[in-house]
Amino acid sequence: MSISRREFLKIASASALLGFGGVSAFEILQPGQFEASQVMPDPKGLVAKRWAMVVDISRFRTEEDYKRCIEACHRIHNVPDVGNPKEEIKWIWTETYEHAFPGQEDEFLSEKIKDLPFLVLCNHCNNPPCVRVCPTKATFKRESDGIVMMDMHRCIGCRFCMAACPYGARSFNFRDPRPFIDKEKENLEFPTRMRGVVEKCTFCYERLAVGLKPACVEASQGGLIFGDLEDPNSEVRKVLNERYSFRRKPELGTSPSVYYILG
Ligand code: SF4
Ligand code: SF4
């Protein structure tokens, strides 16, 4: 496993500062098995899937194409608009190539690609460091489909998971988020969160449970492709078979379930 010195130092200093119970940064990033209690058993005993997403960058041509996906997600999940970038809550957002894929810049990389915004979200890593460091098992990986979930009731707001996530995919509620949700758009069927807990994308587990695709995928008009990596006939597997794809920070060994293709 090779990771950048900056990445390693970030996690090492976080593990020292936050006191991950003697767990070193090296151990946090090591691929390996989780304790049985960190992987939730499938309640229905279904065959294991691994949900994955492919972001087809060529289908995102206008600001509106990105906005549709972000708004669909944030509206359905009651993500508050706090209005302060330092306390921002985000489940899906855009990053520049440089920030989304650090270390993969090249002086000859097309200016067009360098300037593109890339949609980013929790990668639902197959080897998620956030799960390994959570002391209360508030964040856990589902055995049935690989989704990295959050149980808000068990979250104590220690933010170890935020320090361990190399993708900045988690947000902390510094204040009560409820006053920052547009009441006219509030989804009463999805729980709101409270001050002092961490939140992030959960691949729309609540929609998948009733046979729907994630809200961002539905809103993307073909820009986001979703399916089961374990199924050789799934759309994601077909796309990944035919097209060159890449993932964020592959050198960390987290094995993201979000892939990118450039058309
Ligand atoms: S992207 Fe971050 S929060 Fe999501 S599973 Fe990976 S390490 Fe955890
Ligand atoms: S902030 Fe919550 S989810 Fe994150 S490590 Fe602490 S208890 Fe676990």
Side-chain angles (χ1 to χ4, degrees):
M1 178 185 59
S2 76
I3 65 169
S4 78
R5 182 180 150 77
R6 208 167 121 244
E7 251 341 310
F8 185 85
L9 288 176
K10 182 189 146 209
I11 295 168
S13 57
S15 80
L17 269 174
L18 297 170
F20 287 154
V23 180
S24 69
F26 188 73
E27 286 172 291
I28 291 167
L29 289 168
Q30 277 292 321
Q33 294 300 313
F34 295 102
E35 287 173 35
S37 59
Q38 285 174 302
V39 180
M40 293 298 278
D42 175 6
K44 294 184 191 143
L46 300 172
V47 178
K49 296 176 188 297
R50 183 174 162 201
W51 291 123
M53 187 182 287
V54 179
V55 182
D56 183 350
I57 296 301
S58 66
R59 302 291 291 265
F60 289 86
R61 298 189 188 96
T62 66
E63 208 175 302
E64 190 51 37
D65 294 335
Y66 297 92
K67 220 170 131 189
R68 255 198 329 269
C69 299
I70 296 169
E71 280 184 2
C73 166
H74 286 188
R75 192 175 55 246
I76 204 169
H77 297 115
N78 298 321
V79 175
D81 182 4
V82 180
N84 171 358
K86 285 192 181 152
E87 297 182 3
E88 188 184 19
I89 309 287
K90 51 190 181 9
W91 286 29
I92 178 167
W93 70 103
T94 57
E95 291 283 5
T96 58
Y97 182 86
E98 195 185 357
H99 284 123
F101 305 97
Q104 296 183 51
E105 310 92 333
D106 183 302
E107 61 186 302
F108 302 115
L109 189 72
S110 136
E111 287 298 327
K112 208 172 118 199
I113 291 172
K114 273 187 204 163
D115 294 341
L116 276 179
F118 285 78
L119 265 189
V120 292
L121 61 156
C122 168
N123 289 289
H124 296 277
C125 304
N126 206 27
N127 178 36
C130 56
V131 168
R132 191 166 293 116
V133 299
C134 179
T136 63
K137 319 279 188 280
T139 193
F140 57 90
K141 184 180 161 205
R142 291 208 302 200
E143 200 174 44
S144 57
D145 57 13
I147 296 182
V148 176
M149 294 284 291
M150 271 301 300
D151 180 345
M152 302 297 168
H153 301 290
R154 296 169 83 174
C155 178
I156 55 170
C158 64
R159 289 184 271 166
F160 288 4
C161 57
M162 291 180 74
C165 171
Y167 306 99
R170 293 172 165 265
S171 303
F172 182 66
N173 285 284
F174 285 96
R175 56 180 76 218
D176 180 0
R178 289 164 192 140
F180 300 96
I181 299 167
D182 183 341
K183 292 293 163 225
E184 283 179 16
K185 293 183 183 165
E186 185 172 348
N187 176 9
L188 299 174
E189 286 173 14
F190 196 82
T192 53
R193 278 72 68 193
M194 57 195 282
R195 180 170 178 251
V197 300
V198 164
E199 59 182 86
K200 68 167 196 76
C201 153
T202 52
F203 258 1
C204 279
Y205 72 92
E206 77 286 4
R207 290 171 58 87
L208 296 174
V210 292
L212 297 172
K213 286 187 176 175
C216 59
V217 175
E218 202 172 271
S220 72
Q221 300 180 358
L224 301 176
I225 302 148
F226 192 82
D228 178 12
L229 272 185
E230 297 294 339
D231 174 3
N233 296 314
S234 68
E235 209 186 339
V236 280
R237 280 286 295 275
K238 284 182 187 159
V239 171
L240 293 175
N241 260 343
E242 287 163 13
R243 312 269 288 273
Y244 172 73
S245 64
F246 49 101
R247 295 183 285 178
R248 297 183 67 198
K249 303 184 181 179
E251 70 280 10
L252 296 182
T254 55
S255 189
S257 301
V258 176
Y259 292 77
Y260 294 82
I261 55 175
L262 272 168

